[in-house]
Amino acid sequence: MTDQPTATRLSINGIVQGVGFRPFLYQLARQHGLNGEVANTASGVGVVLEGPALSIERFVDDLSVKKPPLAVIVEVTRTPAPLHGFITFSIVKSRADATRATLISPDVMVCDDCLAEMRDPADRRFGYPFINCTNCGPRYTIIDDIPYDRPKTSMRHFTMCAACQAEYDDPANRRFHAQPNACPVCGPRVSLCDAKGRGLAVDDPIAEAIRRIRQGHIVAVKGLGGFHLAVDATNAEAVTRLRRRKHREEKPFALMCHDLDAVRAIARVAPEEDHLLLSIQRPIVLLRKRAETAIATGVAPGNPWFGIMLPYAPLHHLLMDAGFVALVMTSANLRDEPIAIDNVEAFARLGDIADDFLVHDRDIILRSDDSIVRHSAGQRRPIRRSRGYVPVPVFLKHAVPSVLACGAELKNTICLTRGRQAFVSQHIGDLENRAAEEFFRLTIDHLKRILDITPEFVACDLHPDYLSTRYARTLRDIPVVAVQHHHAHIAACMAENQIDAPVIGLAFDGTGLGPDGSIWGGEILVADYAGYTRAAYLQPVPMPGGAAAIRDPWRMALAHLRSAFGDVPDLADLPVVRFADAGQAQVILQMMERGVNSPFTSSLGRLFDAVAALVGLRGRVAFEGQAAMELEAIADDHETGRYAVTWDAHADDPLVIPTAPMIQAVVDDLRAKRSPAVISARFHHTLIALFDELCRHLGARTGIRQVALSGGVFQNCRMLEGLSLALQKSGFEVLTHRLVPANDGGLSLGQAVVAAAQIATRISG
Ligand code: ZN
Ligand code: ZN
Ligand code: FE
């Protein structure tokens, strides 16, 4: 290499707009003594560099190492350029269409630089709850349309003062082109209102809100992606009042703590969990409760876990600086309704719950709940993927046509694809009421607009009655592809792992319609994107009462007892008797006998429910998965035993996996007075051994060495860790979810890639 100047053009794709990328390149070019120019382009950022070849190499090396915290570089392409003779490095104006296809950053936590300014009494933004810069602040939730510029965001109503404008225009400034840039003079403000939404004349709304929370008030706090209901978590009476007013009997409330030490005081935190708590997305992290804490028991009754997050918006820091042990910060929704965002709407919907409202005058364009993650089997596992992660796409191995996938019924998300990118929406929730359906439609329209995607195809579930399926069927001009639920689960897992060869897929969850009209949920599929075969499934049993059997796990216990013994044995000496008397049991038995409202299911989730009820843990659940979670939580860590597993290797295709031996063994253990903790451990070990054996059997038959694990059951750490380990020992590569939830929140991704593959097969075939 010589010192002769050379010229290179770089195209950088990814999340490189609105995150301080051009000022970063400007400063990097200066450091390396390079001239040239940078501009936003349709797919990212385009740079021309002139200078010594070695300096250009160093510049490129530094790109990925020193990039701004919010930037995500997907691809850098280099092409030679003609020497132009630049005498400086400059940021040039972008073309009009420059930002159509670029990626928008998620909303992320306030950065350390901004926090330091906010806490500096000499700074002009001292104590200002809307401080932000190109490295931090709101994005996704304030964008109305593209290109991402201030007039297309909810900041359009605020005109920057001279000081803010000067920062915005200065390429060397941290706030260069920071669209939400604001200060106390020109930006949004907080105010405190009473339960009726009437403004209260107070000097310092935040200080007054803190005072009221201390007194036990429930304060609705408008944050980044919606409202929270804030309550002092150590105030048992206030927590109980919140629970009563929210009609939320057992679901745990999320907590916010000031810092890591405060978290450690109430929960056990492993080093990997530190990372999750501190990550810029600031999700709610599920952590094991400590035994004796100052937290009111009503926060997470009967639950071994706390969901805890650290402050992420500047306003949260100002609240938490008041010294609370922890605040309950639960989504301000009525049961099963999406999180509230609009001030007027919030007053109307939350007036009966909140005593006071701490609001502000910056609109939230698109609501986004807090994300929930947990550390399990050596990885971050999303349980709810929302604020902080959305709209970062999942990158696919191959480009696909533009598909809109409408997701499932529960824990709904939607997915839009563009080339190699799959955009999974924020958590929309259970599509069981009008408000949720509206939010679903709003999110689809919003994402189509800000991503500039016009779907050519629409994908939905096989279930004709899901609201999401009905919506898909109303889109008259677009071909619809219906995708089987468990196929979509496995495809989602393959897609995020960029796998395209066929896999053995274990799809274990509560409910999903099979093409035979029965309810599936304990499925071993041999699948690729275009299709699947059902290789094995759990012996189906009736669900007496249909949906009632999901609510009442004791009904599933009776169904499995009947399936295992041919009749329901005398319950008198079994713990399940405490949930149903002889009369009730008789009614359920007759329902099954006559086949009245008793659809058959192969669901593993329901088998978990049955065992939880059998050992006497729980006869009725307040939310799906509650009984299974409790069964997992009580398992004895020292127990190593398991029950015998049997299945017929020579049986016809597909293979029906008997559950009777397991249920009989559980009953034997109960009669031998073994503890629920021991039985739970043995039950888990049995399932792990069983599925490991079945995979070895199928692996030998098909030659497939990759196993994909998906479905809500894999939120169970014991199952995920145990089965991953066993399968690895058996020589399989195990594919699991790290980017989208294993539960139905990840389903839209799978629907999209299955639809894309089926369309491709149809076209070529
Ligand atoms: Zn910042
Ligand atoms: Zn200003
Ligand atoms: Fe599912």
Side-chain angles (χ1 to χ4, degrees), residues 415-717:
C415 177
L416 280 164
T417 57
R418 177 175 72 196
R420 283 185 51 203
Q421 299 165 347
F423 298 90
V424 180
S425 74
Q426 78 278 24
H427 168 81
I428 295 170
D430 299 349
L431 297 184
E432 289 178 326
N433 55 53
R434 277 281 298 279
E437 191 184 355
E438 260 167 48
F439 183 35
F440 167 81
R441 288 166 184 270
L442 196 76
T443 302
I444 292 174
D445 291 342
H446 187 87
L447 272 175
K448 272 160 60 177
R449 193 166 61 242
I450 65 166
L451 297 170
D452 198 22
I453 294 176
T454 309
E456 302 163 68
F457 303 94
V458 59
C460 63
D461 197 88
L462 216 52
H463 201 302
D465 297 333
Y466 285 178
L467 277 174
S468 51
T469 308
R470 288 191 184 163
Y471 171 86
R473 301 276 175 202
T474 63
L475 305 176
R476 300 222 170 269
D477 334 325
I478 316 180
V480 181
V481 182
V483 180
Q484 200 280 324
H485 189 99
H486 302 93
H487 184 204
H489 269 308
I490 297 306
C493 186
M494 292 172 68
E496 71 156 87
N497 286 286
Q498 300 199 340
I499 299 296
D500 52 11
V503 300
I504 297 170
L506 307 191
F508 297 150
D509 64 1
T511 306
L513 185 65
D516 60 358
S518 78
I519 298 164
W520 290 15
E523 312 306 313
I524 304 187
L525 310 178
V526 172
D528 59 13
Y529 294 124
Y532 69 94
T533 51
R534 195 186 194 195
Y537 57 95
L538 289 179
Q539 168 77 55
V541 298
M543 285 170 69
I550 300 175
R551 208 178 50 232
D552 301 334
W554 64 264
R555 292 176 188 243
M556 290 314 301
L558 294 190
H560 273 285
L561 284 173
R562 176 170 167 272
S563 168
F565 294 98
D567 193 356
V568 174
D570 185 10
L571 299 180
D573 62 338
L574 295 177
V576 68
V577 75
R578 56 181 92 130
F579 307 126
D581 60 36
Q584 280 173 304
Q586 204 52 45
V587 172
I588 296 302
L589 206 59
Q590 278 171 10
M591 266 179 110
M592 291 191 278
E593 224 91 284
R594 295 181 191 153
V596 180
N597 192 15
S598 297
F600 274 81
T601 186
S602 55
S603 163
L604 182 57
R606 295 289 89 78
L607 178 62
F608 266 90
D609 282 356
V611 173
L614 261 181
V615 302
L617 260 188
R618 181 171 281 281
R620 170 167 263 241
V621 294
F623 53 94
E624 218 214 335
Q626 189 183 18
M629 265 176 56
E630 289 176 3
L631 187 65
E632 177 197 355
I634 61 154
D636 183 340
D637 287 327
H638 303 293
E639 172 61 33
T640 53
R642 66 172 172 89
Y643 307 125
V645 295
T646 51
W647 49 277
D648 183 0
H650 305 290
D652 292 341
D653 262 348
L655 206 143
V656 182
I657 309 160
T659 53
M662 249 180 283
I663 297 294
Q664 289 160 358
V666 168
V667 169
D668 287 346
D669 264 359
L670 285 169
R671 293 203 161 121
K673 300 287 175 243
R674 295 228 160 73
S675 72
V678 165
I679 296 175
S680 167
R682 290 181 176 183
F683 173 66
H684 280 87
H685 297 158
T686 309
L687 291 176
I688 289 162
L690 174 65
F691 295 130
D692 175 35
E693 272 189 30
L694 283 162
C695 285
R696 275 186 276 159
H697 171 69
L698 288 171
R701 232 180 52 186
T702 60
I704 298 173
R705 304 312 302 163
Q706 287 176 318
V707 179
L709 309 181
S710 191
V713 166
F714 288 107
Q715 279 172 198
N716 178 323
C717 296

Side-chain angles (χ1 to χ4, degrees), residues 18-176:
V19 292
F21 206 75
R22 286 173 302 163
F24 156 70
L25 294 176
Y26 172 88
Q27 270 155 18
L28 197 61
R30 287 190 153 188
Q31 273 172 30
H32 291 286
L34 295 166
N35 295 331
E37 60 181 29
V38 55
N40 282 341
T41 66
S43 58
V45 164
V47 195
V48 178
L49 295 170
E50 286 186 5
L54 194 63
S55 304
I56 293 180
E57 289 309 315
R58 292 205 175 118
F59 179 98
V60 173
D61 288 345
D62 277 354
L63 264 185
S64 52
V65 185
K66 295 184 176 167
K67 68 179 174 61
L70 300 192
V72 177
I73 299 175
V74 175
E75 201 171 38
V76 181
T77 41
R78 291 175 66 167
T79 44
L83 265 178
H84 189 281
F86 287 104
I87 51 162
T88 173
F89 189 89
S90 53
I91 298 173
V92 297
K93 207 169 155 46
S94 313
R95 294 203 318 272
D97 67 337
T99 47
R100 297 308 286 181
T102 193
L103 298 176
I104 293 158
S105 163
D107 307 287
V108 286
M109 65 161 196
V110 57
C111 73
D112 288 344
D113 291 336
C114 285
L115 261 190
E117 288 173 357
M118 188 183 77
R119 288 181 172 141
D120 174 6
D123 193 275
R124 70 189 189 92
R125 293 188 178 89
F126 176 61
Y128 184 57
F130 302 95
I131 190 167
N132 69 84
C133 70
T134 50
N135 298 328
C136 73
R139 297 285 188 280
Y140 179 62
T141 53
I142 61 165
I143 294 171
D144 207 8
D145 200 353
I146 49 170
Y148 172 55
D149 273 325
R150 193 159 170 123
K152 299 287 173 65
T153 73
S154 60
M155 288 301 293
R156 62 179 159 245
H157 308 298
F158 304 95
T159 309
M160 275 185 275
C161 67
C164 286
Q165 187 70 49
E167 295 167 336
Y168 184 91
D169 292 334
D170 175 9
N173 194 286
R174 206 171 86 241
R175 298 195 168 91
F176 176 71

Side-chain angles (χ1 to χ4, degrees), residues 261-283:
D261 285 339
V263 178
R264 290 198 186 100
I266 59 172
R268 292 206 303 253
V269 192
E272 302 84 6
E273 291 164 337
D274 281 4
H275 285 291
L276 293 180
L277 283 162
L278 291 169
S279 62
I280 58 169
Q281 293 87 2
R282 288 287 157 106

Side-chain angles (χ1 to χ4, degrees), residues 222 227 341-348 357 359-362:
K222 186 175 183 179
F227 277 77
I341 51 165
D342 183 63
N343 288 0
V344 178
E345 181 198 340
F347 296 141
F357 286 82
V359 294
H360 57 73
D361 51 0
R362 182 177 70 200

